[in-house]
Amino acid sequence: MTFASAERARLSDLLLENGPDAPTLCEGWTTRDMATHLWVRENRPDAAAGMMVGPLKAHLGKVSDQAKSRDYRELVQSWAKGPGTLNPMRLADKHVNAAEHFIHLEDVRRGEVARGGELPAPRAFSERDTDALYRSLRRMAPMLLRSSTVPVVLQAPGRAPVTVAREAVAVHTPVTVSGEVGELLLWAHGRDAVHVTVDGDLAAVKRARL
């Protein structure tokens, strides 16, 4: 079982446990919205393109509304089965869904923070799973932090730092963000309900929320 598939199983269990109306870290989204997003992204690429392509947003909204009207448990269980045999995502699952599933699981797991609840402690991961998260961090950080006006150094225990610095800003004093790999990945994706420490001018850091 890959990290992506293991997180899929854990996330589907959590979605069912919390029910359709629980909060998430995604502003305005309940767990029903999250389940809808996950199912549409994986099963309706024609609609999922609307997440990036403006003219397709109306189509995305229509397909999402249809999916959201389905029985919640059935929708979650349908997504939990994973991509079908003819779905291209089946082959790409371990590469493109490691970060996706981890981040959205934490969006649900930490959802009560949005209502003033306490921030849960980070989960513990095996070395293999941490490797998967670290690969995602190295791959995604340059895109997520590209608009920052200072270099950003992401430092996790026992790992080589991940540094994002465009040539034009490389002379500025860097901002160093320290924490476990998963916490850094969440932070780079725009989440603030995380366990990290920041050394430097945070206002100069621009994170893209995906």
Side-chain angles (χ1 to χ4, degrees), residues 1-209:
M1 179 176 286
T2 65
F3 178 73
S5 60
E7 287 290 273
R8 180 192 297 273
R10 287 189 280 262
L11 176 51
S12 63
D13 287 345
L14 186 59
L15 286 168
L16 293 175
E17 177 184 337
N18 286 10
D21 301 314
T24 75
L25 290 184
C26 296
E27 186 176 356
W29 276 16
T30 64
T31 38
R32 183 184 294 279
D33 296 305
M34 180 67 74
T36 298
H37 163 77
L38 291 166
W39 187 89
V40 171
R41 173 183 172 273
E42 192 159 87
N43 293 279
R44 291 294 302 270
D46 59 309
M51 299 174 192
M52 301 294 181
V53 182
L56 295 177
K57 285 186 177 180
H59 181 53
L60 170 61
K62 180 179 179 180
V63 172
S64 295
D65 287 344
Q66 292 171 344
K68 191 184 298 187
S69 69
R70 293 168 59 180
D71 177 77
Y72 176 73
R73 175 172 290 273
E74 188 275 330
L75 180 65
V76 172
Q77 291 176 335
S78 176
W79 171 76
K81 293 176 182 177
T85 304
L86 300 180
N87 188 330
M89 286 289 283
R90 187 178 182 89
L91 295 177
D93 182 62
K94 68 178 181 180
H95 302 293
V96 302
N97 283 333
E100 176 82 6
H101 294 169
F102 164 75
I103 290 167
H104 286 325
L105 190 157
E106 293 299 329
D107 284 336
V108 176
R109 180 172 173 264
R110 305 177 192 212
E112 288 295 339
V113 174
R115 295 181 177 175
E118 185 176 350
L119 176 62
R123 287 183 288 152
F125 292 105
S126 68
E127 190 70 14
R128 189 187 75 163
D129 289 348
T130 302
D131 286 343
L133 290 171
Y134 184 66
R135 286 192 296 270
S136 294
L137 180 65
R138 292 184 62 184
R139 184 176 67 252
M140 298 297 294
M143 179 179 69
L144 295 167
L145 300 170
R146 66 184 182 277
S147 297
S148 298
T149 57
V150 296
V152 182
V153 180
L154 306 176
Q155 180 66 71
R159 301 279 168 167
V162 176
T163 302
V164 179
R166 293 182 292 111
E167 184 176 349
V169 303
V171 297
H172 294 278
T173 303
V175 170
T176 300
V177 186
S178 304
E180 297 295 333
V181 174
E183 300 302 298
L184 294 174
L185 185 60
L186 288 164
W187 180 86
H189 277 81
R191 274 58 174 181
D192 292 318
V194 293
H195 297 273
V196 300
T197 58
V198 179
D199 182 13
D201 182 12
L202 183 57
V205 177
K206 308 300 180 185
R207 294 174 288 164
R209 188 179 179 93

